[in-house]
Amino acid sequence: NAGVMQNPRHLVRRRGQEARLRCSPMKGHSHVYWYRQLPEEGLKFMVYLQKENIIDESGMPKERFSAEFPKEGPSILRIQQVVRGDSAAYFCASSPGLAGGPTFFGPGTRLTVL
Amino acid sequence: KQEVTQIPAALSVPEGENLVLNCSFTDSAIYNLQWFRQDPGKGLTSLLLIQSSQREQTSGRLNASLDKSSGRSTLYIAASQPGDSATYLCAVGVHGGSRLTFGEGTQLTVNP
């Protein structure tokens, strides 16, 4: 049973380009979360999605960031017109949706903006 | 707003020592509390999950306790080993457990 999968593991973009980060949840999990870990900081919640729905995006920056979890395929975190301050590790997590159940994390995508 | 604090920020101990990592949170209305391990450049590995109705959980050499009323949790590691060296993160589940608020972690080094 494969865990949460993320790709790419490392992504380098120049300022102004777009970054697309992909996440496949664990088998049987219908709830996906994205977290960001800035250098020397803790993990911060960004967004919580279920299939085809954004449930909570209170941690997402208001501009340039978007997330989706389509009916088919992985969840996508999209960052438009990246800036150096977007350089961070982006972690995806999933859960089966049971209240209070464990959350499982992927290995992360490390985004570097030049 | 829920805030999670972990003390100490860093800890260095000799192999074989028992140790305690501390986590405190400001809002006792939590659904659960989860301890994770993060190795450098890697993702998070779940160690223990304590539901809000529970007081402790054990797995091997690890024991985690939860005192909701005082807003505290501790992670006890028995007979530490060099392989235990990592950053340990405490995370509190809120909003039905669907959202985790993390502490900034304790960086543990176990010296052979």
Side-chain angles (χ1 to χ4, degrees):
Chain A
N1 183 13
V4 179
M5 300 177 69
Q6 292 188 247
N7 66 83
R9 295 291 305 276
H10 300 273
L11 182 62
V12 179
R13 286 288 179 265
R14 295 191 180 278
R15 282 179 295 169
Q17 292 184 319
E18 178 179 287
R20 279 183 178 244
L21 288 62
R22 289 177 291 278
C23 168
S24 296
M26 285 182 70
K27 186 177 181 180
H29 287 191
S30 58
H31 297 237
V32 166
Y33 317 83
W34 286 93
Y35 290 80
R36 178 167 67 174
Q37 187 174 37
L38 292 166
E40 308 303 324
E41 293 189 20
L43 279 88
K44 304 293 184 189
F45 169 82
M46 298 181 75
V47 62
Y48 162 37
L49 310 102
Q50 296 179 22
K51 285 285 188 180
E52 299 185 278
N53 285 301
I54 297 174
I55 307 302
D56 180 356
E57 57 181 348
S58 57
M60 286 274 273
K62 294 288 184 258
E63 298 178 349
R64 301 188 297 108
F65 285 72
S66 62
E68 63 176 6
F69 189 16
K71 186 177 180 181
E72 302 291 337
S75 175
I76 305 288
L77 178 67
R78 181 184 179 203
I79 311 172
Q80 295 178 290
Q81 299 175 328
V82 296
V83 301
R84 290 216 172 105
D86 296 332
S87 295
Y90 292 83
F91 291 96
C92 173
S94 73
S95 76
L98 299 173
T103 304
F104 297 91
F105 280 75
T109 293
R110 279 149 185 84
L111 172 66
T112 301
V113 179
L114 301 177
Chain B
K1 178 187 173 186
Q2 179 73 267
E3 293 183 1
V4 180
T5 304
Q6 290 187 245
I7 295 173
L11 182 63
S12 182
V13 300
E15 182 177 3
E17 193 162 297
N18 302 326
L19 56 100
V20 175
L21 307 182
N22 297 290
C23 172
S24 61
F25 46 94
T26 55
D27 187 347
S28 62
I30 65 170
Y31 271 74
N32 57 29
L33 186 144
Q34 204 163 346
W35 282 93
F36 294 90
R37 167 185 173 141
Q38 185 176 27
D39 292 281
K42 300 289 179 62
L44 279 69
T45 301
S46 179
L47 298 174
L48 289 165
L49 169 70
I50 311 176
Q51 302 292 354
S52 61
S53 58
Q54 298 175 323
R55 294 193 65 86
E56 68 175 339
Q57 282 287 338
T58 298
S59 176
R61 294 183 294 108
L62 305 179
N63 175 276
S65 68
L66 173 64
D67 184 341
K68 272 183 58 177
S69 60
S70 67
R72 296 180 188 278
S73 176
T74 61
L75 178 66
Y76 175 82
I77 303 177
S80 58
Q81 303 170 358
D84 294 331
S85 297
T87 296
Y88 289 80
L89 297 166
C90 167
V92 171
V94 296
H95 296 282
S98 63
R99 172 177 175 171
L100 296 175
T101 300
F102 281 85
E104 298 207 354
T106 293
Q107 186 174 352
L108 173 66
T109 302
V110 180
N111 301 300

